[in-house]
Amino acid sequence: MALCLETDQLETVQRIVGLHFEGLEVWAYGSRVTGVDFAPETGLELAVISEKALSFEAMIAVEKAFSESGLPFRVDVMDWVKLPESMQKQIKKEHDIIQEAAEA
């Protein structure tokens, strides 16, 4: 699967994710991964993979960073542990890794 992002857009996403979720794996999923119902303004959906819930403050901070990033589309960041199991299974089938987890 090819992630539907321009190189500079991907670099912006990776920079913001790296600042806010250092050491955690982050996956892209949805239309920008599958290409189904994709348009240039289609939002980017990200899931932050961690063992425990992310803090409310971290989620607000990353949302603010993306809204101020100048990207021409919305970025939705989801907390993996808060997603329903059915959605996790779907994302596991079709995703691209935006950021690798740090080695333990």
Side-chain angles (χ1 to χ4, degrees):
M1 284 172 268
L3 186 58
C4 301
L5 285 178
E6 301 291 329
T7 303
D8 60 326
Q9 294 171 341
L10 177 59
E11 289 169 357
T12 298
V13 169
Q14 288 174 322
R15 180 179 49 77
I16 292 170
V17 163
L19 285 170
H20 292 273
F21 301 116
E22 184 178 356
L24 297 178
E25 190 148 316
V26 179
W27 294 353
Y29 67 97
S31 297
R32 284 193 174 267
V33 173
T34 65
V36 176
D37 296 328
F38 171 73
E41 66 279 0
T42 299
L44 174 63
E45 298 171 299
L46 302 176
V48 181
I49 314 300
S50 69
E51 303 267 324
K52 58 184 177 37
L54 301 168
S55 74
F56 177 74
E57 293 79 14
M59 296 300 280
I60 293 297
V62 77
E63 187 177 295
K64 183 174 190 269
F66 277 121
S67 71
E68 296 173 351
S69 69
L71 290 168
F73 49 82
R74 180 177 168 84
V75 179
D76 293 315
V77 180
M78 306 302 278
D79 188 342
W80 182 256
V81 299
K82 294 181 179 176
L83 293 175
E85 190 177 332
S86 60
M87 193 169 175
Q88 288 180 353
K89 284 181 183 176
Q90 185 60 41
I91 293 169
K92 281 180 184 178
K93 284 188 221 168
E94 295 184 293
H95 69 272
D96 274 338
I97 297 173
I98 296 291
Q99 176 174 284
E100 297 273 347
E103 294 294 320

